[in-house]
Amino acid sequence: MRKILFFTLEVLLITISQPVSAQFVAKSYDSLLVNFDSIEMPQFRGGETGLRNYIAKNVRYPNKAKWKNIQGTVYVSFVVDVFGQVCRVEVLRGVHPLLDKEAVRVVRSLPKWHPGKKDGKPINVSHSVPIKFYLRE
């Protein structure tokens, strides 16, 4: 058992002490960089104003949340795929399950977008939107 443990530690130390090629690191780092000048972001019909109007028109404040006076801003993330469809909808920062569920429902109901493009080819692009739930007195 001690021999196996010692051998494992020795291999680990040899592996850790091996110098990493600076050229390898530079190539790896460069592959992570994205030139955002060549990316065209997805567009909702009517732009950001159209998106805000759509959400405002289609959000239904849950009655239970009204009675409990639950308010706040739900941040929802989603992906606009290569076909312009909204998918992978998830709550980034929620307020309460009732409001979170309504925010997700509205985002899932968004109509087709003009997809994002990179070098003229459609790509999947992540997007996020805040949805505010406030009660007037």
Side-chain angles (χ1 to χ4, degrees), residues 18-71:
Q18 294 296 320
V20 176
S21 162
Q23 186 178 13
F24 173 76
V25 172
K27 284 181 183 176
S28 299
Y29 181 73
D30 287 343
S31 68
L32 296 175
L33 297 177
V34 175
N35 182 2
F36 286 101
D37 294 338
S38 66
I39 293 180
E40 184 182 319
M41 297 302 285
Q43 293 293 315
F44 185 80
R45 266 184 280 130
E48 286 296 317
T49 304
L51 177 61
R52 278 190 246 115
N53 290 339
Y54 180 88
I55 291 171
K57 252 189 240 179
N58 290 282
V59 157
R60 288 185 239 127
Y61 213 115
N63 285 328
K64 285 184 181 180
K66 284 181 188 176
W67 295 331
K68 294 180 179 183
N69 198 31
I70 301 169
Q71 303 180 69

Side-chain angles (χ1 to χ4, degrees), residues 5 11 16 39 43 45 53 56 81 97 109 136:
L5 182 60
V11 170
I16 292 172
I39 293 180
Q43 293 293 315
R45 266 184 280 130
N53 290 339
D81 69 13
S109 77
R136 294 183 185 167

